[in-house]
Amino acid sequence: MSELEGNCLVCQSGGPTAVINASLAGVIEEALNHECIEEIYGGLNGVVGVLNEDLVDLAAESQQVIRLLKSTPGSALGTCRYTFKKEEDLERALEVFKAHDIRYFFYIGDSESMAMIDKLDELAKSEGYEMRILGIPKTINNDISATDHTPGYGSMIKHVATTVREMAADNESIGKGDYVSILEVQGRNSGWIAAGSALAKRRDHPHDAPHIILLPEVVFNPEKFIADVQKVLAREKFCLVVTGEGLVDMNGNYVSAKASSSDAFGHVQLGGAGEFLRGVIEANLGVSARSCKLGVAGRAAAHNASQADSDEAYLAGSAAVIQAVENGKSGKMITLQRAEADSYKCETGWVDLADVPATSKQLPADWINDDGVSMNFPFVKYATPLIQGEVPIVWENGLPVFAKLKGARVDKVLAAYEM
Amino acid sequence: MSELEGNCLVCQSGGPTAVINASLAGVIEEALNHECIEEIYGGLNGVVGVLNEDLVDLAAESQQVIRLLKSTPGSALGTCRYTFKKEEDLERALEVFKAHDIRYFFYIGDSESMAMIDKLDELAKSEGYEMRILGIPKTINNDISATDHTPGYGSMIKHVATTVREMAADNESIGKGDYVSILEVQGRNSGWIAAGSALAKRRDHPHDAPHIILLPEVVFNPEKFIADVQKVLAREKFCLVVTGEGLVDMNGNYVSAKASSSDAFGHVQLGGAGEFLRGVIEANLGVSARSCKLGVAGRAAAHNASQADSDEAYLAGSAAVIQAVENGKSGKMITLQRAEADSYKCETGWVDLADVPATSKQLPADWINDDGVSMNFPFVKYATPLIQGEVPIVWENGLPVFAKLKGARVDKVLAAYEM
């Protein structure tokens, strides 16, 4: 098959991960290997940059910067939460592709992004404009179906599990059966991230922290929670609780829903799930409790990213280019698959964009122990390979240095677009 | 001078730091160098372990474990917030010292601890029991006077500044002049930790994050805060705010004081300063705001500890042993001093325990810029050397491994004590 000649465009979308730029580096470096790809462009802020024709010349970036992308958090090209709102958006995107001879379009994003670029792929086909459109999955939430796991998840849970180990060492030295601490992690609708904290337990040490993992998948029962904390405090010096931010009560409401009646200076604003649990403990158990909330600092913690995750993020990016160029694939999302082997090995595959479900991939119920607050061996077996290795960081003057793209603009050739 | 012969006892007190165990390692390894020191004991949970005669044999620990202490968070010997409550406590401690022939007592702690061991030193002298009592400073808060800085502070602000850089990379890729994020750090009565976030700015980039640093030293004015955030959002894609937990209003009250009326399940429990600020922003500016709270996870973040800080913590521990053994010093606290040199070099000194003020060392007012929300060059010059270098971590299966002391108990020889 003769290779399609033209330019390449890559964008990033949705919430950043610690390794989303490794996928970007994978696309850029692989694209350089293929002569059929002439220019390598980046779109600023996801499809918003496509619609506004805000393109930058990625081949003009230094190799140093491209290498540094592998340890840089955030989305180096900027991101967006925009998905096409109207038919005109699709047509405009295609117009931009044609104007810049974009024949390869790579979109790093989540399930919603995949549905969007699928429409774009259909339109290009129906108009007879030959191009390749591929999705590269990313999300800290690990909730994209059709891929074994998602680039971004491994680094997220490596940092969460590291934090739990460190808090445990700290708390154990303080507690005398009277100290509770709570770590709130991201994950509003799924417990994948909170579940990952289970990796902090040493093998065959089920009583290690985290002692209680609260998942959005398990209805929060305050009486059981209090009893669980009491049980841990009777056994251990301290009790470490990990909670996802989206804890729900028996009516399906978030336990920490924001008060809608906050006054001008926010005096009745409620905290998150962690602060809520702190209140529950202090009001009912008369012991001291403290909460920490990783929030966006967690997903951005590139200084503690997983090498395996980073490598796989990069691999997903380069595989997209290879599938598009060498195999002429379009309308697919790259997937990560476990190779059939004695030890963990990750391979890439692909799935039709249309077959990526919009619904979130669920944490398997049978990976949660009967106690509802801990994970069993199948989960640990699944997640452990994803956190292996440490991404080397470039330190300067005691702090990590991150890549900043020069971002040389590609000349606009079209009239402005009204979004 | 002939060296005093006998046993050595070391304890840890107060809140842990990322490097408090490096000081412990410094004491143990230096003590091994001196033949006049026979046994090396550790007291469990600070002076509580002394009073209860809960001593462990530290010389029996493996060299591997002692080495691993240098990268282990928490207080490996356990800690306490107990200070002597009555005259009998002092007498009991001395009785324990005599019973175990303790001639060297090293206490790793904060200002309050220094006042306590000073009394112990006086009692030993007045009773004619020859021994050496030395304090080794530690605290993330950097608020002990009489020392240029405190072991524990450098690692704390290295992690805070790293987190700010990472959040900035993340937030910059999302914001369009409409994104505010808040990082709450420890420091209830002093802004030393929040101030340290200023190191995240690159040299000659005053507009880098953190854009606004809120210090307990500067009265919180909501109108000015809102105006400051608006000014940043007009200039930058995002606004990153760092706040100490102890933000106070014009009446000297904490802005985020806990609601005292929380119900059984904590429904009206307020969050901390970060959540409070989020409320202020969302109610007044109509933009999205998110808060993160490092809490104890910050001080425990040994995976991102400063090598300079760790080295100095170790040095303070070993210097205490050297001063006690070789110079016969007692009733002193080891201090860290900047050597007079072109580049930063840290030396140890000592100060009489009686001269360590109980009051907190203040962040110099003239290190805060006139805008009240940023730090000037003298602060940056002061703090930068403290975050240099990265402590090597032992990783196993993707997570840091920490030291656990075997803790072989020393036989008790006294009757139990009623605390």
Side-chain angles (χ1 to χ4, degrees):
Chain A
M1 184 163 56
S2 83
E3 290 168 353
L4 180 62
E5 295 195 357
N7 300 325
C8 148
L9 175 64
V10 56
C11 298
Q12 296 172 309
S13 177
T17 78
V19 299
I20 191 171
N21 292 323
S23 289
L24 177 60
V27 169
I28 297 169
E29 293 189 339
E30 187 60 42
L32 284 166
N33 292 336
H34 300 276
E35 286 191 4
C36 61
I37 296 179
E38 197 161 343
E39 303 290 348
I40 306 171
Y41 295 152
L44 300 183
N45 304 312
V47 286
V48 172
V50 176
L51 297 179
N52 290 331
E53 218 187 335
D54 285 330
L55 312 182
V56 297
D57 180 3
L58 291 173
E61 300 290 338
S62 73
Q63 292 177 66
Q64 204 172 28
V65 161
I66 302 303
R67 194 172 53 216
L68 200 51
L69 282 175
K70 295 179 198 172
S71 58
T72 297
S75 297
L77 286 170
T79 184
C80 71
R81 296 205 178 277
Y82 190 84
T83 48
F84 293 153
K85 290 190 171 56
K86 45 187 196 245
E87 194 59 31
E88 288 79 7
D89 284 349
L90 286 166
E91 286 160 10
R92 166 70 178 189
L94 195 59
E95 189 187 8
V96 171
F97 291 162
K98 289 176 180 172
H100 292 276
D101 194 27
I102 305 297
R103 298 290 174 167
Y104 298 95
F105 180 56
F106 303 106
Y107 207 66
I108 309 170
D110 52 22
S111 305
E112 221 171 319
S113 301
M114 299 307 151
M116 182 183 69
I117 63 171
D118 187 36
K119 287 190 201 139
L120 209 47
D121 185 64
E122 281 170 20
L123 182 68
K125 278 178 181 141
S126 76
E127 292 208 6
Y129 180 72
E130 194 177 5
M131 72 177 296
R132 318 281 182 243
I133 295 181
L134 280 99
I136 299 160
K138 73 84 212 159
T139 167
I140 57 169
N141 292 311
N142 203 37
D143 60 357
I144 305 180
S145 296
T147 180
D148 176 79
H149 55 281
T150 318
Y153 177 60
S155 293
M156 185 70 237
I157 62 174
K158 182 188 183 82
H159 189 57
V160 166
T162 297
T163 302
V164 167
R165 277 224 174 151
E166 292 176 333
M167 287 175 70
D170 179 291
N171 297 173
E172 188 176 14
S173 70
I174 300 171
K176 299 180 296 289
D178 59 353
Y179 190 97
V180 180
S181 70
I182 302 144
L183 178 66
E184 180 183 328
V185 300
Q186 288 192 305
R188 187 151 281 272
N189 301 313
S190 110
W192 280 107
I193 297 173
S197 69
L199 300 183
K201 289 180 197 270
R202 292 164 300 167
R203 194 168 183 155
D204 301 325
H205 285 75
H207 288 170
D208 273 1
H211 305 110
I212 296 172
I213 302 174
L214 298 176
L215 305 163
E217 287 81 356
V218 179
V219 168
F220 179 71
N221 174 336
E223 287 79 13
K224 175 177 186 296
F225 173 64
I226 292 164
D228 283 347
V229 172
Q230 282 180 308
K231 212 186 305 171
V232 174
L233 289 179
R235 193 185 70 216
E236 310 287 333
K237 292 179 177 170
F238 69 107
C239 176
L240 200 159
V241 179
V242 174
T243 181
E245 56 190 344
L247 210 55
V248 293
D249 65 21
M250 57 184 295
N251 300 316
N253 299 318
Y254 290 125
V255 296
S256 57
K258 284 185 205 175
S260 54
S261 57
S262 61
D263 73 5
F265 295 123
H267 287 119
V268 300
Q269 186 79 35
L270 290 179
E275 279 297 303
F276 168 79
L277 295 172
R278 184 170 69 83
V280 170
I281 290 162
E282 294 196 341
N284 289 276
L285 291 175
V287 298
S288 145
R290 284 152 200 250
S291 75
C292 307
K293 182 179 178 179
L294 282 184
V296 296
R299 75 176 182 208
H303 76 277
N304 193 24
S306 153
Q307 183 70 61
D309 186 31
S310 175
D311 288 346
E312 293 173 3
Y314 184 94
L315 186 69
S318 61
V321 176
I322 293 169
Q323 289 291 350
V325 173
E326 297 182 3
N327 300 333
K329 292 266 188 289
S330 189
K332 315 287 181 195
M333 180 187 82
I334 297 299
T335 61
L336 299 179
Q337 309 296 349
R338 275 163 216 256
E340 284 191 29
D342 288 343
S343 59
Y344 175 83
K345 193 169 175 301
C346 182
E347 292 174 346
T348 60
W350 50 264
V351 60
D352 285 344
L353 287 170
D355 292 339
V356 179
T359 53
S360 292
K361 180 165 80 168
Q362 295 298 307
L363 182 66
D366 59 2
W367 286 1
I368 306 170
N369 282 325
D370 289 342
D371 63 12
V373 295
S374 63
M375 306 305 298
N376 63 19
F377 182 68
F379 173 79
V380 172
K381 191 178 169 200
Y382 167 84
T384 298
L386 315 183
I387 67 164
Q388 299 301 308
E390 293 71 48
V391 174
I393 296 297
V394 178
W395 297 91
E396 197 177 278
N397 215 7
L399 293 173
V401 180
F402 299 134
K404 284 214 186 262
L405 296 176
K406 195 166 54 181
R409 289 300 184 110
V410 175
D411 289 338
K412 296 190 184 194
V413 295
L414 298 173
Y417 178 71
E418 196 73 44
M419 278 180 61
Chain B
M1 181 162 57
S2 83
E3 289 169 353
L4 179 63
E5 295 196 356
N7 299 327
C8 148
L9 175 63
V10 55
C11 297
Q12 295 171 309
S13 178
T17 78
V19 299
I20 191 171
N21 292 323
S23 289
L24 177 61
V27 169
I28 298 169
E29 294 189 340
E30 187 60 42
L32 284 166
N33 292 336
H34 300 277
E35 285 192 3
C36 61
I37 296 178
E38 198 161 342
E39 304 290 348
I40 306 172
Y41 295 151
L44 300 183
N45 304 312
V47 287
V48 172
V50 176
L51 297 179
N52 289 332
E53 219 187 334
D54 285 329
L55 312 183
V56 297
D57 181 2
L58 290 173
E61 300 291 337
S62 72
Q63 293 177 67
Q64 204 172 29
V65 161
I66 302 304
R67 194 172 53 217
L68 200 52
L69 282 176
K70 295 179 198 172
S71 58
T72 296
S75 297
L77 286 170
T79 184
C80 70
R81 295 203 178 275
Y82 190 84
T83 48
F84 294 153
K85 290 191 171 55
K86 44 186 197 237
E87 192 60 30
E88 288 78 7
D89 283 349
L90 286 166
E91 285 160 10
R92 166 69 178 189
L94 194 59
E95 188 188 10
V96 172
F97 291 163
K98 289 175 178 171
H100 292 276
D101 194 28
I102 305 297
R103 299 289 175 166
Y104 297 95
F105 180 55
F106 303 105
Y107 206 65
I108 309 170
D110 52 23
S111 306
E112 223 172 320
S113 301
M114 299 307 151
M116 183 183 70
I117 64 169
D118 187 37
K119 288 189 200 141
L120 209 46
D121 185 64
E122 281 170 19
L123 182 68
K125 279 177 179 142
S126 74
E127 292 206 6
Y129 180 72
E130 194 177 6
M131 74 178 294
R132 317 281 183 244
I133 295 182
L134 280 100
I136 298 160
K138 73 85 210 158
T139 167
I140 56 169
N141 292 311
N142 202 37
D143 59 357
I144 305 181
S145 295
T147 181
D148 176 78
H149 56 280
T150 318
Y153 177 60
S155 294
M156 186 69 239
I157 62 174
K158 182 188 181 85
H159 189 58
V160 166
T162 297
T163 303
V164 167
R165 278 224 174 151
E166 292 175 334
M167 287 175 70
D170 179 291
N171 296 175
E172 188 176 13
S173 69
I174 299 171
K176 299 181 296 290
D178 58 353
Y179 190 96
V180 180
S181 70
I182 302 145
L183 178 66
E184 180 183 329
V185 300
Q186 288 193 307
R188 186 153 281 272
N189 301 313
S190 110
W192 280 107
I193 297 173
S197 69
L199 301 182
K201 290 180 198 270
R202 291 166 299 167
R203 197 170 181 152
D204 301 324
H205 286 74
H207 289 170
D208 273 2
H211 304 110
I212 296 172
I213 303 174
L214 298 176
L215 304 163
E217 287 81 356
V218 179
V219 168
F220 179 71
N221 174 335
E223 287 79 14
K224 177 178 184 296
F225 174 64
I226 291 163
D228 283 348
V229 172
Q230 281 179 309
K231 213 185 308 171
V232 173
L233 289 179
R235 193 185 70 217
E236 309 287 333
K237 292 180 177 169
F238 68 107
C239 176
L240 200 160
V241 179
V242 174
T243 181
E245 56 191 343
L247 210 54
V248 294
D249 63 22
M250 56 185 295
N251 301 316
N253 298 318
Y254 290 126
V255 296
S256 57
K258 282 186 207 175
S260 55
S261 58
S262 61
D263 73 6
F265 295 123
H267 286 120
V268 299
Q269 186 81 34
L270 289 178
E275 278 298 302
F276 167 79
L277 295 172
R278 185 170 70 81
V280 171
I281 290 162
E282 294 194 342
N284 289 276
L285 291 176
V287 298
S288 146
R290 284 153 200 249
S291 75
C292 307
K293 181 179 177 177
L294 282 183
V296 297
R299 75 176 181 208
H303 76 277
N304 192 25
S306 153
Q307 183 70 61
D309 186 31
S310 175
D311 288 347
E312 293 174 3
Y314 184 94
L315 186 68
S318 62
V321 176
I322 293 169
Q323 289 292 350
V325 172
E326 297 182 2
N327 300 332
K329 292 266 188 291
S330 189
K332 316 288 181 195
M333 180 187 82
I334 298 298
T335 61
L336 299 179
Q337 310 295 348
R338 275 163 217 255
E340 285 190 29
D342 288 342
S343 60
Y344 175 83
K345 191 168 176 302
C346 183
E347 293 173 346
T348 60
W350 49 265
V351 61
D352 285 345
L353 287 170
D355 292 339
V356 179
T359 53
S360 292
K361 178 165 81 169
Q362 295 298 307
L363 181 65
D366 59 2
W367 286 1
I368 306 170
N369 282 325
D370 289 342
D371 64 10
V373 296
S374 64
M375 306 305 297
N376 62 21
F377 182 68
F379 174 79
V380 172
K381 192 179 168 199
Y382 167 85
T384 299
L386 315 183
I387 67 165
Q388 300 300 308
E390 293 71 50
V391 173
I393 296 296
V394 177
W395 295 93
E396 197 177 278
N397 216 6
L399 292 174
V401 180
F402 298 135
K404 283 214 187 262
L405 296 174
K406 196 166 54 181
R409 288 301 182 110
V410 176
D411 289 339
K412 296 189 183 193
V413 295
L414 298 173
Y417 177 71
E418 198 71 46
M419 278 182 59

